[in-house]
Amino acid sequence: MSDLRLVAIDLDETLLDSSLAVDDETINYLSDLQKRGIKLVIATGRTWPGAQKVLARLGFWQSVICYNGGLVYAADNGVLLDQRIDLGLAKELIRYFRDNNLFFKTYVDDIMYVPWLNTEIKEFINNHGVYCAVEAELDQWLQVAPNMLVLIGDENTCDRQQDYISNRWLGKIKVTRSHRRSLEFLPPRVSKGMTLARIAAKLGFGSENCMAIGNEMNDLEMLQWASVGVAVANSPRELQESADFITVANNEQGVLKALRHFFG
């Protein structure tokens, strides 16, 4: 499609396979697209250090959306956008999590704070390259507005809490999901889609010039905004229903096959 000038791609379970790797064939094709003038935007829920682990492998990118739209790094200008959760509201949510014995993570300036360490968190630290600190009374200690809060639990717990928190703090917090067993909390009106639109506008592009590829509900807004929204086959049904095109799963080079379909 000749009008496409920018491609935004999610990382985990989209560009990356289950081993958190991206294959050489995909990297080479992305490099070729860049030589053809196509801009590459990485759109992830990860921290900036967590995204850098993948960027080092790619070696090229235009901009990186972190924290599901809350933070943007540009290859040539550093931080372009930094949107955070209101500090008072963050403390209120942290107290709610603690009082209801819910495990949560708090991200502040690329440091992940947790109330205690468990096996899952240790594995996450190792896989994603994040800095972690343990702080049992973060609501009392926290003095800087956080980038993102994340609640961890089983799928039923996350379903119930998403409904409850979305209604209790209606209009004050954005709730999204990058996994069935987690909820991610952002400032209101922050999403990958809204942030992608701002990046595209700075480059002189509209939605008609953009493709977005993702795998979870935190990708929904950018798939809806872009003129071509692509879901990998391992996406939930709700995301696939909103996509313009469904490619194969992330473990089957879904991103590469989608790009070849549209760019040749």
Side-chain angles (χ1 to χ4, degrees):
M1 297 181 67
S2 59
D3 289 340
L4 292 176
R5 305 301 302 160
L6 183 153
V7 178
I9 307 174
D10 173 54
L11 290 182
D12 294 283
E13 299 184 52
T14 301
L15 180 63
L16 303 181
D17 62 24
S18 296
S19 66
L20 302 180
V22 54
D23 63 274
D24 290 340
E25 192 176 3
T26 298
I27 291 175
N28 290 337
Y29 189 86
L30 289 169
S31 178
D32 179 65
L33 284 184
Q34 185 188 45
K35 293 172 184 175
R36 290 157 59 182
I38 305 301
K39 306 298 184 182
L40 173 63
V41 173
I42 296 298
T44 181
R46 290 186 179 210
T47 65
W48 169 239
Q52 283 181 298
K53 291 191 69 174
V54 181
L55 299 178
R57 181 88 170 88
L58 292 177
F60 52 85
W61 45 278
Q62 179 73 33
S63 300
V64 179
I65 299 171
C66 300
Y67 299 118
N68 292 317
L71 183 70
V72 175
Y73 274 85
D76 53 355
N77 290 316
V79 177
L80 290 183
L81 183 68
D82 188 355
Q83 304 174 99
R84 302 190 179 214
I85 300 171
D86 175 79
L87 180 59
L89 176 60
K91 290 185 175 185
E92 189 176 345
L93 284 166
I94 289 169
R95 286 192 290 270
Y96 171 77
F97 297 153
R98 189 185 60 205
D99 292 346
N100 288 275
N101 199 33
L102 297 167
F103 188 83
F104 63 97
K105 304 183 291 187
T106 304
Y107 290 92
V108 183
D109 294 326
D110 295 331
I111 298 175
M112 180 180 72
Y113 294 91
V114 294
W116 65 85
L117 284 175
N118 57 32
T119 301
E120 183 176 353
I121 289 297
K122 290 178 181 178
E123 182 178 351
F124 182 86
I125 293 168
N126 182 62
N127 289 336
H128 289 77
V130 299
Y131 306 108
C132 182
V134 177
E135 179 56 63
E137 298 180 344
L138 189 59
D139 59 311
Q140 299 179 34
W141 173 86
L142 190 61
Q143 298 297 319
V144 178
N147 303 94
M148 183 171 69
L149 300 175
V150 180
L151 184 153
I152 306 293
D154 60 55
E155 187 169 351
N156 288 334
T157 296
C158 289
D159 288 344
R160 291 195 305 271
Q161 292 299 328
Q162 183 170 12
D163 291 341
Y164 178 78
I165 293 171
S166 295
N167 285 297
R168 176 170 173 177
W169 285 281
L170 184 65
K172 296 182 178 180
I173 195 78
K174 169 71 179 293
V175 187
T176 189
R177 293 173 92 149
S178 63
H179 195 280
R180 293 294 87 193
R181 296 190 297 107
S182 69
L183 298 178
E184 293 159 21
F185 301 90
L186 307 164
R189 296 176 296 280
V190 167
S191 71
K192 290 184 182 182
M194 294 187 71
T195 299
L196 177 60
R198 295 174 70 166
I199 292 172
K202 284 183 177 291
L203 294 170
F205 300 150
S207 61
E208 69 275 10
N209 305 121
C210 298
M211 171 190 287
I213 309 175
N215 80 295
E216 258 294 352
M217 298 311 292
N218 62 329
D219 299 313
L220 175 65
E221 289 90 345
M222 75 171 184
L223 266 63
Q224 291 177 330
W225 179 81
S227 66
V228 179
V230 178
V232 288
N234 48 292
S235 304
R237 176 181 52 80
E238 304 97 304
L239 190 72
Q240 293 189 28
E241 289 176 349
S242 296
D244 302 297
F245 182 79
I246 300 172
T247 185
V248 297
N250 64 316
N251 286 333
E252 301 170 358
Q253 296 182 308
V255 167
L256 177 62
K257 290 176 181 176
L259 294 174
R260 282 180 170 162
H261 177 82
F262 287 99
F263 290 97

